[in-house]
């Protein structure tokens, strides 16, 4: 019976770790936004201070996507101040398929968990 118990606790710890890592910062996005296919998505890093303070919520960023697929500009629409910078930094690294004209859209990042 003693040999089963350590395996059980190791399984519980690993399951908890995987769960925490998978929900720590979840950007809400699809493979396509407003008809523009996303070639490269970068997830935001959950700030340590926000983790310690148990800050959750979403950040909405309006982005202008240039014809070549790079992010031309960003404008924060809403979100907790501790989460805004990391969301903007992440979305600036996104790359889209080229298009015939600029596209303006809103991207929402959801931060859940600790």
């Amino acid at each position: 019976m003693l040999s089963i118990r350590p395996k059980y606790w190791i399984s519980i710890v690993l399951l908890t770790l995987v769960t925490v890592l998978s929900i720590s910062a979840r950007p809400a996005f699809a493979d396509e936004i407003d008809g523009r296919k996303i070639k490269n998505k970068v997830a935001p890093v959950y700030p340590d201070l926000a983790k310690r303070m148990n800050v959750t919520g979403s950040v909405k960023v309006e982005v202008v996507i240039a014809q070549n697929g790079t992010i031309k500009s960003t404008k924060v629409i809403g979100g907790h101040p501790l989460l805004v910078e990391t969301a903007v930094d992440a979305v600036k690294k996104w790359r889209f398929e080229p298009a015939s004209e600029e596209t303006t859209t809103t991207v929402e990042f959801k931060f859940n968990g600790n």
Side-chain angles (χ1 to χ4, degrees):
M1 187 81 175
L2 290 176
S3 64
I4 294 174
R5 210 168 186 129
K7 290 180 184 178
Y8 173 78
W9 285 112
I10 289 171
S11 298
I12 295 296
V13 169
L14 288 175
L15 181 60
T16 303
L17 180 62
V18 167
T19 302
V20 167
L21 290 175
S22 69
I23 65 171
S24 60
R26 290 187 133 169
F29 48 62
D31 291 333
E32 191 174 293
I33 296 178
D34 289 343
R36 298 284 299 261
K37 185 175 179 183
I38 302 171
K39 290 173 51 177
N40 184 43
K41 297 184 258 189
V42 175
V45 176
Y46 204 113
D48 288 333
L49 181 58
K51 283 183 197 177
R52 289 194 302 270
M53 294 178 64
N54 295 320
V55 174
T56 61
S58 51
V59 175
K60 290 185 180 181
V61 182
E62 182 180 271
V63 295
V64 176
I65 307 163
Q67 288 177 313
N68 67 0
T70 61
I71 301 299
K72 183 175 179 181
S73 66
T74 60
K75 177 183 173 187
V76 176
I77 297 173
H80 194 287
L82 289 176
L83 304 173
V84 166
E85 184 178 351
T86 189
V88 171
D89 289 345
V91 79
K92 283 182 178 180
K93 296 174 186 170
W94 285 25
R95 297 296 176 260
F96 292 80
E97 291 289 332
S100 59
E101 58 185 33
E102 287 184 355
T103 306
T104 302
T105 190
T106 302
V107 177
E108 181 178 7
F109 292 94
K110 293 186 180 186
F111 294 83
N112 303 310
N114 35 356

